[in-house]
Amino acid sequence: MKKQFKAESQRLLDLMINSIYTNKEIFLREIISNASDAIDKMCYLALTDKSVGMSRSDFGITLTLDKENRTLTVSDNGIGMNEEELERNLGTIAFSGSREFSSELEKSGFDVKKSAGADDDASAADAADSSAAGSAENEASPIDIIGQFGVGFYSAFMVSDRVEVVTRRYGEDKAWRWVSEGAGGYDIEPAERDEQGTDVIMHIREDGEESDEYSQYLREYTIYGLVKKYSDYIRFPIRMLMPHSKVKEGSDPEKPEYEEVYEYEVINSMVPLWQRRKSEVTDEEYENFYRQSFFDDKAPLETMTVSVEGMVSYDALMFIPEKAPERYYSDEYTGGLRLYSSGVLIMDKCKELLPDYFNFVKGIVDSPDLSLNISRELLQHDRQLRLISKNLEKKIRGRLEDMMKNDREKYEKFYNSFGRQLKYCALDNYGRYREELQDFLMFYSSTEKKLVTLAEYVERMKEDQEYIYYASGESLDAVDKMPQTEILKDKGIEILYFTDSADSFISDIFREYKEKKFMSVIDGDFDVDGKKDEEVTELFKETFEFIKETLGDKVDEVKATAKLKSHPVCLSSGEGLTFEMEKYFKAVNPDLGMKAKRILELNADHPAFLALEKARTEDVERAKKMCEVLFNQALLIAGLPIDDPSGYTDTVTSLF
């Protein structure tokens, strides 16, 4: 007689099959995790009861494909279930036998969680050696329950129209079969099985008219890929018949014929690299793991390992790539670490584990302490995640600081790839993370001829220097040739070159660093040799008024400047929007029409200005042409476009 799920269980199962589990392929992860749990229970029994007569090497999981009958079977030789346990574990959705088992172990004083050394770079398996003292299985890890024989099991119905469970409890003679086609109910009946353990037989759904969505789960390499992706680090061997090409017997050696044969293979790695002692893992192994796992043709720039036991126990293996991925600085890129629960992949990219400014870090985090919700895709314990994230951030920060101090060449290589990310995040949201990131930023120095930090600049400042001087431009060469930098260079004052599009916003967002304000060499007003711009402007007031009248609304202001030495003219924007900001906004959103002020600054000591002054009184038309030429020269120096290049050329030639 068919038994019915409880009403709430029927609704939950229907909801889960049709809505909650959007990623169908995780069904295999859930079923394999349950099999691993059952073996864990049997391992515990073998450790505590010598009459069991089994060692860890006797246990395993087998996957069997029957393409003709469209079945995928997951078999284990774990603890198994009797009729009562089948009813309790599978008849009531969300009842977790594993959770109950864990609870009983904890009550008995047995260490359910894996032990881990508290120090960084220590193996998480260190404490496993003492978990079964006096036993022949001293190398075995403590019992580590990773699955839930409850909700996760029912994910099989996402790809199956019928699921059978044939199981036999250890120490009992009878086997039982549980059969269900979904929310309609289930049957339990006697069955045959030679030994303890469980077979989960999934009858794979038929494909739709235009899709082989379900038949893919009857292919060896699809199943192999899912095991490698989600269950590669299950601690027991997972075996499956895999196809191989073999030379036919009796075929011509010179023209051999091949046939396809199937052989059982262990298709999972079992021992995660991050759970081994660092001293037992070579640099080559770390490099190979990184290349294969994250599809990079280059070795990582830096490798970091973390192993922690405490409020949250976890292992982490992280890498800083040598170069940014192809689409790193685009909306298509998604950062995050791979999240495992005791070796079972839960999330491929968990963004919550890293702050955005460190999203270039690749790697994994493995913790037995993270509880999962119904879909096993989202984590319930945000507090635990935040704790892990905070510790990982501290680890990464420490490694970057050490690199900057003790291996500057490597840090500069890192900064050339990911410095822009640090800069963007330092500026984002009005400098929310400025304090966390400002000491990692670097800029080219006019005096050091290399990248320097803000701290290094301030440390070298002259005793009476008030400002951190900077100049913005499109390239180092362009900035280096700017006429406004000449006088400061002659005085030996260091200038930082801002050549990234984000650099233009630093002075506005940061304002100051270590109580030293930022000053633009191009747009700032500062005294040079005690000369006052206002005094010179007043002295040649009529000339400056003539220039402004001639140029009209092309310029917002005309004034004298003491910033120039051998050049006659330059253009500044004053406070607010700079020329580099204008170029940036024009590139990303030209419809905004963002435009900086045009302040024409002239060197009153330059022969060109004196010639203009003379022409103003002797040949007004010539003087007007000279004003146009000087303005267009200032535009060119600032890297801004000339409205009429042909007209500018005609004006220049007319002056000869």
Side-chain angles (χ1 to χ4, degrees), residues 207-483:
D207 297 325
E209 292 182 1
E210 300 179 358
S211 170
D212 64 347
E213 178 181 8
Y214 298 108
S215 288
Q216 64 177 314
Y217 301 120
L218 295 170
R219 298 175 190 144
E220 287 83 5
Y221 285 102
T222 297
I223 299 303
Y224 174 86
L226 294 182
V227 170
K228 298 302 289 184
K229 180 177 181 179
Y230 291 106
S231 306
D232 197 36
Y233 303 113
I234 289 288
R235 296 177 302 155
F236 304 101
I238 301 173
R239 297 181 177 87
M240 185 171 71
L241 279 172
M242 294 293 293
H244 297 276
S245 292
K246 183 180 180 181
V247 177
K248 283 186 177 181
E249 292 186 14
S251 64
D252 187 347
E254 295 184 2
K255 296 181 179 180
E257 296 180 40
Y258 293 89
E259 61 181 347
E260 189 175 66
V261 297
Y262 282 78
E263 298 174 354
Y264 272 105
E265 284 186 18
V266 174
I267 59 176
N268 63 320
S269 302
M270 289 187 283
V271 181
L273 194 69
W274 55 86
Q275 288 188 4
R276 292 165 54 186
R277 297 175 186 270
K278 187 178 181 182
S279 60
E280 296 174 352
V281 183
T282 65
D283 292 341
E284 184 179 6
E285 286 180 298
Y286 280 131
E287 179 181 333
N288 289 338
F289 176 84
Y290 169 76
R291 287 174 180 263
Q292 294 169 10
S293 299
F294 301 103
F295 309 105
D296 196 338
D297 60 355
K298 294 186 178 295
L301 189 67
E302 196 72 12
T303 301
M304 297 166 282
T305 62
V306 182
S307 188
V308 172
E309 180 185 18
M311 293 179 62
V312 182
S313 296
Y314 65 93
D315 297 302
L317 175 58
M318 300 182 293
F319 304 93
I320 297 177
E322 180 178 318
K323 289 190 175 181
E326 184 177 347
R327 294 190 173 97
Y328 180 68
Y329 291 105
S330 75
D331 293 337
E332 297 178 32
Y333 179 81
T334 303
L337 300 178
R338 291 181 184 171
L339 182 61
Y340 289 81
S341 177
S342 298
V344 178
L345 180 65
I346 302 303
M347 195 178 297
D348 189 49
K349 292 182 178 180
C350 183
K351 295 189 294 184
E352 292 80 4
L353 287 169
L354 288 176
D356 284 344
Y357 44 83
F358 287 159
N359 71 356
F360 51 81
V361 175
K362 305 286 188 182
I364 64 91
V365 172
D366 189 354
S367 173
D369 295 334
L370 295 173
S371 299
L372 308 168
N373 75 348
I374 189 170
S375 70
R376 221 179 202 171
E377 300 294 317
L378 299 173
L379 299 168
Q380 291 177 334
H381 293 281
D382 292 339
R383 183 185 61 81
Q384 293 173 314
L385 265 188
R386 287 196 298 270
L387 181 60
I388 294 176
S389 176
K390 183 179 180 181
N391 291 341
L392 294 182
E393 179 183 358
K394 183 179 179 181
K395 176 73 174 181
I396 297 168
R397 179 180 297 278
R399 186 59 60 92
L400 291 177
E401 289 172 349
D402 180 71
M403 202 189 304
M404 182 189 292
K405 181 179 179 181
N406 299 312
D407 195 341
R408 191 56 168 261
E409 183 179 351
K410 181 185 284 190
Y411 185 81
E412 289 187 14
K413 185 181 291 187
F414 154 77
Y415 192 79
N416 286 331
S417 293
F418 301 107
R420 189 186 301 175
Q421 173 68 6
L422 300 181
K423 201 178 299 178
Y424 285 165
C425 291
L427 295 171
D428 190 38
N429 202 10
Y430 302 100
R432 177 182 177 185
Y433 297 112
R434 169 196 161 189
E435 294 294 331
E436 288 87 343
L437 298 174
Q438 60 186 3
D439 288 326
F440 290 118
L441 305 185
M442 302 185 80
F443 308 92
Y444 186 84
S445 163
S446 63
T447 57
E448 301 302 306
K449 306 300 181 184
K450 63 180 182 181
L451 292 173
V452 301
T453 65
L454 293 175
E456 290 165 345
Y457 179 99
V458 170
E459 188 178 349
R460 286 191 296 268
M461 284 176 62
K462 295 180 179 295
E463 189 174 340
D464 58 346
Q465 185 175 330
E466 296 181 47
Y467 304 108
I468 298 173
Y469 291 103
Y470 70 92
S472 299
E474 295 180 355
S475 67
L476 294 178
D477 187 59
V479 174
D480 200 49
K481 292 177 180 178
M482 285 181 174

Side-chain angles (χ1 to χ4, degrees), residues 543 546 607-627 630 655:
T543 302
F546 172 79
F609 178 80
L610 298 177
L612 172 61
E613 168 71 9
K614 183 179 179 182
R616 182 182 64 83
T617 58
E618 298 178 357
D619 187 345
V620 174
E621 292 303 315
R622 180 179 177 83
K624 288 181 179 180
K625 290 181 179 180
M626 294 175 70
C627 291
L630 288 173
L655 292 174

Side-chain angles (χ1 to χ4, degrees), residues 170-214:
Y170 172 77
E172 299 189 11
D173 296 329
K174 289 184 178 181
W176 298 90
R177 176 182 283 104
W178 180 97
V179 183
S180 176
E181 295 181 356
Y186 60 93
D187 290 308
I188 297 179
E189 61 187 20
E192 297 291 330
R193 201 177 196 279
D194 293 337
E195 61 176 10
Q196 92 281 343
T198 300
D199 303 319
V200 178
I201 307 162
M202 291 164 279
H203 294 259
I204 303 301
R205 296 174 183 269
E206 295 289 341
D207 297 325
E209 292 182 1
E210 300 179 358
S211 170
D212 64 347
E213 178 181 8
Y214 298 108

